[in-house]
C-alpha cells in the first residue's frame, strides 16, 4: 500500500509539473535580418508590482519613480485572479533585441531637488523595507541566483531594489567602507538571457541557426555611481542621501548578454526555478511516511469502530424479551431522540450549504491543478478558477441547505434561501472590502479597482444568487428525508457526562488529527502567499486533501459514537464543530507563522495579514465542518436502520 501511494504521488507531481495550459505556445525569436511572420526580434520585458516580506502592502512599479515606459507601450490584459491578488503587470523601458548584446546602456536619468524630496523619500522607504522587483520576459520570471552555504544554486523570482548598511545588519553583497547607516540603490542590472537555438529542431533550422526560444533570464543587480559619463566598471556604489541638499541624480543602466543552450528544452525551462525553491526539496519520503502513518491510524480507528459496532448491532438484534430490553444500554437507548431537530437549525443548514459549495470548488480546482491547467506559467489562473467555480457551485449549496432545513421541519424557506446565498459570501466580501479600504488608504497596487468590485458583485448577485435559488427550488420540492426511527415527543434526560464525553473537550480533541495531516503542506502554502514563493505541488496537495477528508470523517464518526454510547444525542452541531475545530488550529498556526517566520512591521500590514487569515480560516471551517457533519449523518442513519426498534 505504501509503495502504491508513493508511486501515485510522484506521478501526480511529475504530471502537474510538466504539463502546460493549451494555447500557451512557445514564442520563436530570430535575428532582425531574418524576420518571419512566425518569429519576433524585439523581446518585451514587463514589470510587476513590488512586494516585501516585511510588509503585506505591495506597490506598483511606477510608485518608486523608476524609469517610465514609452507612452505607446500597452499593458497586457490581466485576468480576474491577477487583479484580486494585486498583480499589476506593466511595460518597461528596457529595449531588448534577440541575439543583440548590450553593454552599459543608459535607460534614463532621474533628477531630484528640494521640491521632489517626497519621491526620494519613497525610494528610501522601499530600500529600507527590502522591496523586491518582479520582472517578466516571455512569460518567464526574471530570476536572481546565488550559491548557498551548502554549495547549492538557489534562484528566486525577485531581486531587491537596493540594500542597506546598518549596525548589526547588512544586506549588501559588496565592500562598503562606512561606519554610518546607509542606503544603496541598485540602479544597474546585468541581464543574462539563455536561449535554445534548436539547431536540430524543425523550427530551429528554419531560421538558419539565428532563431531560438528563451529558456531563462537571470539578473545580477548592482549599485553604480555614474559620476562623469556612463561607466559600468565603477565600483563605487550609489548611496541615497538621508537629507537632500542641492540636486541629486540617479542614472539607470543595464547590460544584456545572450547565451545559447541546447541541452535544456523549452518545455523544461521552469524546472530550475521550481527545483531551487527553498524548502521544496525536503525529505519527501519522510512527509509521505507521516501521511501513511496518519492514514494507517485512521484505518485502525475505523476497524476498531466497525468491530465494536458490529457486536453492538448483533447484541441488540438478539433481544427478544422485555426483560432483556431493560438491560439495554448505550446508543440504542437514544433512538427516539437521535433525530430530534437541533437548535438553530436554520443557521446549521446555511453553513452546511456553504460548506458544500466550498467543498465542490476545492475538488474541481485541485483536479484542474493536477492536470496542469493552473501551472505557474498561467498567472492568476488559480485564483480565477477558484472564484468562478465558487460562484457556479451555488446550485449544490442551495440544494443541500434546503434539503437539510426541510428535514429539520423548517418552513421559512425564503429566509433559508436568502441566508444561504448572502450570509457566508457576504461575510467574506465584507472582510475583503474592509481590507481593500486599508489598501486604498495606503496607495497599494493590491487595492482592487472599483470596477472590479462591481464585477465581483455582479458575479455574486447575477450568477451565484440565482443558481442558489435554483438549487433550493429543487431541494424544497423533493420529499423530506425519512429517518429510520421515529422521534419521541418528550425528550430523554441526558445523564451526567464525564469529562471525556462533554462537548468542549471532544470538540477540541477532534481537530488535532486532521490538522496533523495538513500542517506540513500548510507551511508551503503560507510561504507561497506571504513570501512570494511558487507553489506547484498540486498532486501531493490533492493526496493530502483526500487524507484530510478521510481523517475528518473518521474522527467525527468515532467521537460521535462515544457520545451516543454515553446517551448524549445532541450530535448535530457537535459533528460540525468537531472537525470544524481544525480551523482553530489553522488560525493558531498562522499566528505562529506570523511571529516566528515573518518580519512584518506596521499596524496596516498586521491588520491585513490577520484579515486575510480570518477569511481563510472561515472557509476552512466550512469545509471541514461539512465533511464531518455528513460523515456523521450517514453513520447514524446507517446504524439505526439495521437495529430492531420496538
Amino acid at each position: 500500500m505504501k509503495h502504491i501511494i508513493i508511486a501515485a504521488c510522484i506521478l501526480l507531481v511529475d504530471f502537474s509539473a510538466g504539463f502546460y495550459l493549451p494555447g500557451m505556445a512557445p514564442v520563436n525569436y530570430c535575428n532582425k535580418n531574418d524576420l518571419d511572420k512566425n518569429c519576433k526580434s524585439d523581446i518585451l520585458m514587463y514589470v510587476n508590482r513590488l512586494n516585501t516580506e516585511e510588509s503585506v502592502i505591495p506597490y506598483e512599479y511606477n510608485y518608486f519613480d523608476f524609469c517610465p515606459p514609452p507612452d505607446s507601450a500597452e499593458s497586457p490584459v490581466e485576468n480576474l485572479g491577477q487583479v484580486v491578488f494585486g498583480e499589476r503587470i506593466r511595460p518597461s523601458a528596457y529595449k531588448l533585441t534577440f541575439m543583440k548584446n548590450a553593454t552599459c546602456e543608459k535607460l534614463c536619468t532621474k533628477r531630484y531637488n528640494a521640491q521632489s524630496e517626497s519621491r526620494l523619500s519613497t525610494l528610501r522607504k522601499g530600500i529600507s523595507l527590502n522591496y523586491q522587483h518582479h520582472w517578466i520576459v516571455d512569460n518567464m520570471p526574471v530570476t536572481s541566483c546565488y550559491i548557498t552555504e551548502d554549495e547549492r544554486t538557489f534562484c528566486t523570482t525577485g531581486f531587491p531594489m537596493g540594500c542597506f548598511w546598518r549596525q548589526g545588519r547588512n544586506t549588501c553583497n559588496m565592500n562598503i567602507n562606512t561606519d554610518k547607516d546607509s542606503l544603496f540603490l541598485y540602479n544597474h542590472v546585468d541581464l543574462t538571457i539563455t536561449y535554445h537555438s534548436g539547431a536540430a529542431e524543425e523550427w530551429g533550422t528554419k531560421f538558419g541557426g539565428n532563431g531560438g526560444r528563451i529558456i531563462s533570464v537571470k539578473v545580477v543587480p548592482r549599485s553604480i555611481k555614474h559620476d562623469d559619463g556612463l561607466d559600468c566598471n565603477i565600483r563605487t556604489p550609489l548611496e541615497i542621501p538621508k537629507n537632500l541638499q542641492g540636486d541629486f541624480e540617479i542614472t539607470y543602466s543595464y547590460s544584456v548578454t545572450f547565451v545559447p543552450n541546447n541541452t535544456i528544452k523549452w518545455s523544461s525551462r521552469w524546472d530550475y526555478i521550481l527545483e531551487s525553491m527553498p524548502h521544496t526539496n525536503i525529505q519527501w519520503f519522510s512527509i509521505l511516511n507521516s501521511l501513511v502513518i496518519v492514514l494507517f491510524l485512521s484505518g485502525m480507528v475505523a476497524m476498531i469502530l466497525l468491530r465494536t459496532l458490529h457486536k453492538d448491532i448483533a447484541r441488540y438484534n438478539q433481544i427478544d424479551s422485555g426483560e432483556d430490553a431493560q438491560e439495554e444500554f448505550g446508543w440504542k437507548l437514544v433512538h427516539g431522540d437521535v433525530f430530534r431537530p437541533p437548535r438553530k437549525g436554520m443557521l446549521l443548514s446555511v453553513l452546511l450549504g456553504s460548506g458544500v459549495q466550498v467543498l465542490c470548488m476545492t475538488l474541481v480546482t485541485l483536479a484542474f491543478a493536477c492536470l496542469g491547467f493552473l501551472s505557474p506559467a498561467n498567472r492568476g489562473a488559480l485564483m480565477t478558477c477558484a472564484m468562478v467555480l465558487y460562484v457556479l457551485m451555488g446550485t449544490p449549496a442551495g440544494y443541500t441547505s434546503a434539503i437539510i432545513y426541510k428535514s429539520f421541519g423548517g418552513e421559512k424557506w425564503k429566509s433559508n434561501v436568502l441566508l444561504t446565498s448572502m450570509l457566508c459570501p457576504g461575510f467574506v466580501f465584507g472582510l475583503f472590502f474592509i481590507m481593500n479600504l486599508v489598501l486604498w488608504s495606503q496607495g497599494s497596487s493590491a487595492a482592487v479597482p472599483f470596477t472590479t468590485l462591481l464585477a465581483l458583485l455582479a458575479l455574486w448577485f447575477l450568477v451565484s444568487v440565482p443558481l442558489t435559488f435554483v438549487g433550493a427550488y429543487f431541494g424544497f420540492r423533493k420529499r423530506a428525508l425519512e429517518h429510520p426511527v421515529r422521534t419521541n415527543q418528550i425528550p430523554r434526560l441526558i445523564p451526567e457526562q464525564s469529562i471525556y464525553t462533554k462537548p468542549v473537550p471532544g470538540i477540541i480533541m477532534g481537530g488535532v488529527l486532521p490538522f496533523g495531516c495538513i500542517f506540513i503542506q500548510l507551511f508551503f502554502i503560507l510561504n507561497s502567499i506571504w513570501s512570494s514563493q511558487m507553489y506547484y505541488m498540486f498532486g501531493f496537495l490533492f493526496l493530502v486533501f483526500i487524507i484530510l477528508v478521510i481523517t475528518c470523517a473518521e474522527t467525527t464518526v468515532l467521537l460521535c459514537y462515544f457520545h451516543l454510547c454515553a446517551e448524549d444525542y445532541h450530535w448535530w452541531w457537535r459533528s460540525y464543530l468537531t472537525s470544524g475545530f481544525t480551523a482553530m488550529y489553522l488560525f493558531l498556526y498562522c499566528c505562529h507563522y506570523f511571529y516566528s517566520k515573518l518580519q512584518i512591521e506596521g499596524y496596516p500590514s498586521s491588520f491585513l495579514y490577520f484579515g486575510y487569515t480570518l477569511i481563510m480560516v472561515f472557509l476552512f471551517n466550512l469545509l471541514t465542518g461539512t465533511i464531518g457533519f455528513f460523515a456523521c449523518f450517514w453513520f447514524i442513519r446507517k446504524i439505526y436502520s439495521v437495529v430492531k426498534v420496538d
Side-chain angles (χ1 to χ4, degrees):
M1 181 67 181
K2 174 181 176 182
H3 298 293
I4 295 176
I5 296 176
I6 292 174
C9 177
I10 294 175
L11 285 174
L12 283 171
V13 171
D14 290 342
F15 185 63
S16 63
F19 189 79
Y20 286 85
L21 184 68
M24 300 183 66
V27 179
N28 296 327
Y29 293 93
C30 58
N31 195 295
K32 250 187 177 181
N33 299 325
D34 300 318
L35 283 179
D36 185 89
K37 63 180 181 179
N38 294 323
C39 73
K40 299 179 180 180
S41 63
D42 294 332
I43 302 175
L44 299 179
M45 176 185 287
Y46 295 99
V47 291
N48 204 341
R49 52 97 184 265
L50 284 82
N51 59 4
T52 176
E53 294 185 13
E54 299 182 19
S55 176
V56 183
I57 304 173
Y59 293 101
E60 281 202 48
Y61 184 79
N62 57 7
Y63 178 82
F64 294 101
D65 194 37
F66 295 123
C67 297
D71 296 335
S72 59
E74 296 182 358
S75 300
V77 178
E78 296 171 342
N79 56 42
L80 184 61
Q82 288 177 296
V83 176
V84 173
F85 255 97
E87 291 194 17
R88 299 295 182 266
I89 301 177
R90 302 289 182 258
S92 70
Y94 293 87
K95 298 179 181 179
L96 308 179
T97 304
F98 186 71
M99 294 184 67
K100 182 181 179 181
N101 295 336
T103 304
C104 203
E105 292 285 336
K106 180 180 178 180
L107 192 64
C108 75
T109 299
K110 289 287 184 176
R111 295 176 174 83
Y112 301 91
N113 50 35
Q115 286 74 27
S116 56
E117 170 68 23
S118 60
R119 291 188 291 142
L120 199 61
S121 177
T122 302
L123 208 57
R124 294 192 202 100
K125 172 186 174 183
I127 298 174
S128 61
L129 291 178
N130 198 29
Y131 270 84
Q132 304 278 318
H133 284 284
H134 294 281
W135 294 356
I136 302 169
V137 174
D138 192 41
N139 201 37
M140 279 284 292
V142 177
T143 58
S144 175
C145 302
Y146 59 89
I147 306 299
T148 59
E149 295 180 356
D150 55 353
E151 298 183 353
R152 291 180 59 253
T153 301
F154 166 59
C155 295
T156 178
T157 56
F159 64 95
M161 59 181 291
C163 65
F164 53 83
W165 174 276
R166 296 173 184 166
Q167 293 182 359
R169 189 177 181 189
N170 176 25
T171 63
C172 299
N173 56 355
M174 51 189 174
N175 296 324
I176 301 174
N177 297 321
T178 181
D179 296 331
K180 61 180 181 178
D181 295 348
S182 304
L183 299 174
F184 301 93
L185 175 69
Y186 289 143
N187 61 326
H188 176 86
V189 291
D190 293 315
L191 296 170
T192 302
I193 301 179
T194 306
Y195 65 95
H196 183 89
S197 63
E201 309 287 346
E202 180 180 354
W203 58 268
T205 56
K206 181 178 180 181
F207 304 111
N210 292 326
R213 295 173 179 173
I214 294 178
I215 297 174
S216 67
V217 181
K218 298 180 181 179
V219 62
V220 177
R222 288 193 287 156
S223 180
I224 301 176
K225 186 178 182 180
H226 297 289
D227 286 330
D228 300 324
L230 201 63
D231 187 0
C232 296
N233 295 321
I234 298 177
R235 299 299 179 184
T236 305
L238 177 65
E239 182 179 356
I240 305 297
K242 290 185 178 180
N243 298 313
L244 187 60
Q245 297 177 354
D247 295 336
F248 180 72
E249 290 187 354
I250 299 177
T251 300
Y252 292 90
S253 58
Y254 66 99
S255 299
V256 184
T257 304
F258 285 85
V259 178
N261 187 334
N262 291 333
T263 59
I264 301 177
K265 295 183 178 180
W266 182 87
S267 59
S268 304
R269 63 178 186 164
W270 282 84
D271 291 353
Y272 86 99
I273 300 177
L274 302 179
E275 290 174 358
S276 65
M277 293 302 291
H279 306 297
T280 56
N281 58 343
I282 64 176
Q283 301 87 352
W284 283 83
F285 286 100
S286 66
I287 297 177
L288 229 86
N289 284 333
S290 66
L291 295 177
V292 171
I293 290 173
V294 171
L295 189 60
F296 176 75
L297 181 60
S298 301
M300 291 297 295
V301 169
M303 289 176 59
I304 294 173
L305 184 60
L306 292 176
R307 185 176 179 182
T308 306
L309 193 60
H310 179 73
K311 290 183 178 180
D312 289 345
I313 294 174
R315 183 175 69 252
Y316 289 146
N317 287 337
Q318 289 175 357
I319 296 175
D320 295 322
S321 62
E323 181 180 353
D324 292 333
Q326 295 176 359
E327 298 177 0
E328 291 180 2
F329 66 92
W331 55 270
K332 189 184 177 184
L333 291 177
V334 296
H335 66 82
D337 299 274
V338 72
F339 289 105
R340 188 178 302 280
R343 297 178 180 177
K344 307 293 182 182
M346 172 77 79
L347 178 61
L348 180 59
S349 64
V350 169
L351 294 178
L352 292 174
S354 299
V356 168
Q357 191 173 7
V358 176
L359 177 61
C360 295
M361 175 204 70
T362 305
L363 283 173
V364 179
T365 302
L366 285 177
F368 278 120
C370 289
L371 293 175
F373 288 95
L374 308 179
S375 68
N378 192 14
R379 291 177 178 81
L382 181 64
M383 189 63 178
T384 303
C385 179
M387 289 189 294
V388 172
L389 285 174
Y390 181 81
V391 169
L392 296 179
M393 294 301 169
T395 301
Y399 180 83
T400 303
S401 178
I403 202 167
I404 293 295
Y405 181 66
K406 192 174 182 179
S407 68
F408 293 159
E411 297 178 353
K412 300 179 180 179
W413 63 270
K414 294 181 181 179
S415 300
N416 177 263
V417 177
L418 287 174
L419 287 174
T420 304
S421 59
M422 297 292 179
L423 182 63
C424 295
F427 177 77
V428 173
F429 185 83
L431 278 177
F432 179 76
F433 182 75
I434 293 173
M435 290 183 291
N436 203 55
L437 291 178
V438 176
L439 292 170
W440 268 337
S441 66
Q442 299 294 318
S444 172
S445 65
V448 177
F450 182 72
T451 54
T452 305
L453 287 177
L454 292 180
L456 292 175
L457 288 174
L459 284 175
W460 180 13
F461 287 105
L462 301 182
V463 180
S464 180
V465 173
L467 289 177
T468 305
F469 272 77
V470 171
Y473 172 78
F474 288 105
F476 280 113
R477 285 197 61 183
K478 191 174 181 179
R479 181 182 300 177
L481 296 175
E482 295 183 1
H483 300 307
V485 291
R486 290 176 296 180
T487 302
N488 297 334
Q489 293 183 354
I490 302 176
R492 180 184 177 86
L493 183 65
I494 300 176
E496 184 69 22
Q497 300 292 306
S498 64
I499 186 66
Y500 302 105
T501 56
K502 287 184 178 180
V504 175
I507 291 172
I508 294 176
M509 291 186 297
V512 174
L513 194 58
F515 178 76
C517 301
I518 65 167
F519 80 96
I520 295 178
Q521 286 299 310
L522 183 62
F523 176 77
F524 295 128
I525 294 174
L526 292 179
N527 276 346
S528 67
I529 296 175
W530 304 114
S531 298
S532 300
Q533 297 179 14
M534 290 187 178
Y535 188 90
Y536 66 98
M537 299 177 292
F538 294 110
F540 195 77
L541 179 63
F542 185 77
L543 293 178
V544 173
F545 177 74
I546 296 300
I547 295 176
L548 172 67
V549 172
I550 296 173
T551 310
C552 284
E554 291 182 346
T555 304
T556 307
V557 167
L558 178 64
L559 292 175
C560 181
Y561 172 72
F562 289 156
H563 293 138
L564 291 178
C565 288
E567 301 180 25
D568 186 354
Y569 51 83
H570 295 308
W571 65 272
W572 298 96
W573 273 104
R574 187 178 298 173
S575 62
Y576 177 87
L577 295 175
T578 298
S579 56
F581 199 79
T582 310
M584 182 56 65
Y585 292 104
L586 170 62
F587 178 76
L588 295 177
Y589 186 84
C590 290
C591 294
H592 166 74
Y593 184 86
F594 177 82
Y595 290 107
S596 63
K597 301 296 181 182
L598 299 179
Q599 300 174 347
I600 292 179
E601 300 177 357
Y603 291 108
S605 295
S606 301
F607 177 80
L608 291 170
Y609 176 86
F610 286 103
Y612 286 119
T613 298
L614 187 59
I615 291 178
M616 182 169 60
V617 168
F618 176 69
L619 294 177
F620 192 73
N621 173 265
L622 293 177
L623 174 68
T624 54
T626 301
I627 294 171
F629 175 88
F630 282 106
C632 195
F633 185 65
W634 171 84
F635 169 75
I636 290 179
R637 287 177 60 86
K638 192 70 174 176
I639 63 175
Y640 283 99
S641 64
V642 295
V643 295
K644 298 176 181 178
V645 179
D646 295 332

